[in-house]
Amino acid sequence: MAYVGFVNTDYTPKRKEVVCLFYAESPRGKTLEWTAEHVAGESSVGTWTDVVTSKDSIGGLAPHICKIDKKKGVFAVAYPPELFEFENVPGIMSSIAGNIFGMKAVENLRLLDIQFPPALLKAHRGPEYGIDGLRKRFGIEKRPFVGTIIKPKLGLPYQKHAKVAYDAWVGGCDVVKDDENLTSQSFNPFEKRAKATLALMKKAEKKTGEKKAYLINVTAETGEMIRRAKLAKKLGANYLMIDVLTAGFAAVQSLREADLGLPLHAHRAMHGMITRNPRHGMTMLALAKIYRLIGVDTLHVGTGEVGKMEGGPAETKAIINEVREKEVKKGPVFLPQEWGSIKPVMPVASGGLDPSGVPQLMKLFGNDFVVQAGGGIHGHPKGTKAGATAMRQAVDACIKRQSLESYSKSHKELAQALAYWKGK
Ligand code: CAP
Ligand code: MG
């Protein structure tokens, strides 16, 4: 059917429907309603012209444009569940985040939020661990997890990579992760890195008496990714990392549905290509909901302007709520969402951080998050171990409700970090 007849602003979406909230800018001379009709049609059953074959096959499948707010340039579309294969995230995205972004009928289009109905939640595992499960697994009762990313991003031979990880763990990091673009390069092949780093993780656990996590990056072609994940598990890995955007929705589902029993860390490299332009693409909030649905355990969500990446406090807070809370109330540009039995994801703050940012981060995130620093640990004037200690001291200071300045008087690594990056 052509792109007409979907507007029904008296329509109340059924609980079983998928509801999408869009922001759109129409071509000159066209109305938001006209654009919304094109979006609703092209994302479901329609095309640019009537087709004779439509007559007897789409009854009841047509979506309803149930809200249009011309002032905000926003409209909502309620899609009957029969339009989708709920187990198939790539398929769902091909409808609600597919052709519509390339149509001439939109100057700009942004998918603000997707409301998942109960049956869609039931079709997916969600996180295996959740926040309580991660805290139990790593013996960290209340405070934030402290993590680092091995730097330089690329270039370290695997033996050095392992040694830098050891120094970070012994210095006080709970978590050490590969960088997003470290996979299995000639200087740092996956299996050798896994063996060497896991051996030193065990050594660091013995030395510190603390459980440690190594987030090894398994990002690769899906079959190879699963092979690496299984190999890592065999070698004693206790956490896996995947670059969720570059690997793709299907790969994230494959890794989760491999049920390896290991927590999954979602790095969001490439998200900026889709989320950054406030007038086009898709919000990080909507993306984050998809990864919680599929079932990652930790996910980068931004730092609320503390670090080097874009994403203000209000946006970061909204994403934190969306991945952590059981129920999210309707917001200015997002829909209400009940998460049923889907466990929470632990949000990750990362990007341009050093110990001085910890108080602001803990104000925004509370305690249930991972604070992660690469340069802010390995750039410490006294090296990685001191850098990790300084980060941990900053968290301890906040837990003890002391200012970093006063705490640093009796904690030299923190004092050195604060002095070194002052006014950075
Ligand atoms: C941080 C990081 C992370 C970014 C990702 C980097 O290193 O390893 O990939 O945090 O950004 O490569 O930049 P630094 P986001 O601590 O040295 O900045 O968390 O926003 O996805
Ligand atoms: Mg990185």
Side-chain angles (χ1 to χ4, degrees), residues 13-27:
K14 296 187 182 67
R15 199 163 134 69
K16 66 176 186 175
E17 292 183 314
V18 176
V19 182
C20 287
L21 190 63
F22 292 98
Y23 164 81
E25 292 169 10
S26 307

Side-chain angles (χ1 to χ4, degrees), residues 148-151 153 177-181 241 266-271 284 299-303 308-310 348-354 372-378:
T148 191
I149 310 101
I150 301 294
K151 300 287 175 181
K153 284 179 178 254
K177 69 179 275 295
D178 289 347
D179 225 326
E180 68 279 354
N181 52 350
M241 167 183 163
H267 194 291
R268 60 176 186 167
M270 196 178 106
H271 82 91
M284 183 62 214
L299 169 70
H300 292 233
V301 297
T303 56
K308 72 186 182 190
M309 300 292 190
E310 52 85 34
V348 176
S350 177
L353 300 180
D354 70 70
Q372 225 172 250
I377 282 182
H378 308 292

Side-chain angles (χ1 to χ4, degrees), residues 100-397:
I100 50 178
F101 286 87
M103 294 199 300
K104 289 183 186 135
V106 304
E107 281 298 303
N108 278 300
L109 179 66
R110 187 168 176 80
L111 176 52
L112 299 173
D113 196 1
I114 315 162
Q115 187 178 60
F116 302 142
L120 177 45
L121 298 176
K122 286 202 178 66
H124 292 274
R125 290 164 168 74
E128 173 156 4
Y129 285 83
I131 294 174
D132 294 346
L134 290 174
R135 287 194 173 285
K136 202 155 147 262
R137 183 177 173 89
F138 294 102
I140 301 171
E141 256 173 51
K142 284 210 173 20
R143 64 172 172 80
F145 286 48
V146 176
T148 191
I149 310 101
I150 301 294
K151 300 287 175 181
K153 284 179 178 254
L154 296 178
L156 292 182
Y158 70 92
Q159 304 92 329
K160 179 86 176 109
H161 176 104
K163 176 67 178 70
V164 172
Y166 177 78
D167 290 345
W169 278 315
V170 166
C173 280
D174 308 296
V175 169
V176 170
K177 69 179 275 295
D178 289 347
D179 225 326
E180 68 279 354
N181 52 350
L182 178 63
T183 52
S184 189
Q185 283 85 345
S186 56
F187 48 81
N188 196 336
F190 181 85
E191 183 165 355
K192 289 190 171 152
R193 175 166 82 251
K195 282 180 182 161
T197 311
L198 289 168
L200 289 187
M201 181 176 82
K202 292 222 167 329
K203 196 173 159 208
E205 289 183 326
K206 273 209 190 72
K207 186 168 173 66
T208 60
E210 292 182 339
K211 288 287 297 157
K212 301 297 181 181
Y214 172 41
L215 285 49
I216 188 164
N217 189 1
V218 296
T219 303
E221 174 280 324
T222 305
E224 174 60 14
M225 173 188 71
I226 299 294
R227 188 193 72 79
R228 289 183 189 180
K230 288 179 176 169
L231 172 63
K233 179 174 182 176
K234 203 166 110 236
L235 294 172
N238 60 7
Y239 221 118
L240 300 173
M241 167 183 163
I242 175 173
D243 296 339
V244 288
L245 274 297
T246 51
F249 295 114
V252 183
Q253 281 197 258
S254 300
L255 187 59
R256 178 68 185 96
E257 290 164 24
D259 278 328
L260 295 173
L262 299 180
L264 304 180
H265 178 87
H267 194 291
R268 60 176 186 167
M270 196 178 106
H271 82 91
M273 188 188 280
I274 301 168
T275 62
R276 182 113 195 236
N277 179 343
R279 297 166 59 190
H280 194 74
M282 174 175 184
T283 58
M284 183 62 214
L285 181 131
L287 267 181
K289 290 177 74 169
I290 291 166
Y291 298 123
R292 177 176 182 180
L293 176 76
I294 295 175
V296 301
D297 293 285
T298 35
L299 169 70
H300 292 233
V301 297
T303 56
E305 262 161 22
V306 175
K308 72 186 182 190
M309 300 292 190
E310 52 85 34
E315 182 202 0
T316 305
K317 189 68 187 159
I319 302 169
I320 293 168
N321 290 341
E322 200 66 66
V323 300
R324 252 185 0 200
E325 302 307 320
K326 260 190 94 53
E327 191 183 340
V328 177
K329 299 252 176 292
K330 181 176 170 318
V333 277
F334 51 86
L335 300 165
Q337 179 68 56
E338 288 171 18
W339 282 98
S341 58
I342 297 279
K343 289 183 183 148
V345 171
M346 186 176 266
V348 176
S350 177
L353 300 180
D354 70 70
S356 66
V358 170
Q360 214 177 331
L361 286 171
M362 287 180 68
K363 247 193 230 102
L364 185 63
F365 283 80
N367 285 359
D368 282 339
F369 77 116
V370 183
V371 54
Q372 225 172 250
I377 282 182
H378 308 292
H380 189 285
K382 297 292 178 200
T384 296
K385 187 166 173 292
T389 303
M391 208 68 194
R392 189 74 180 260
Q393 288 167 348
V395 167
D396 292 346

Side-chain angles (χ1 to χ4, degrees), residues 1 11 14 16-17 45 54-64 78-83:
M1 69 198 282
Y11 182 76
K14 296 187 182 67
K16 66 176 186 175
E17 292 183 314
V45 294
S54 279
K55 295 272 176 296
D56 50 13
S57 61
I58 56 163
L61 288 181
H64 295 87
Y79 296 89
E82 295 78 7
L83 283 172

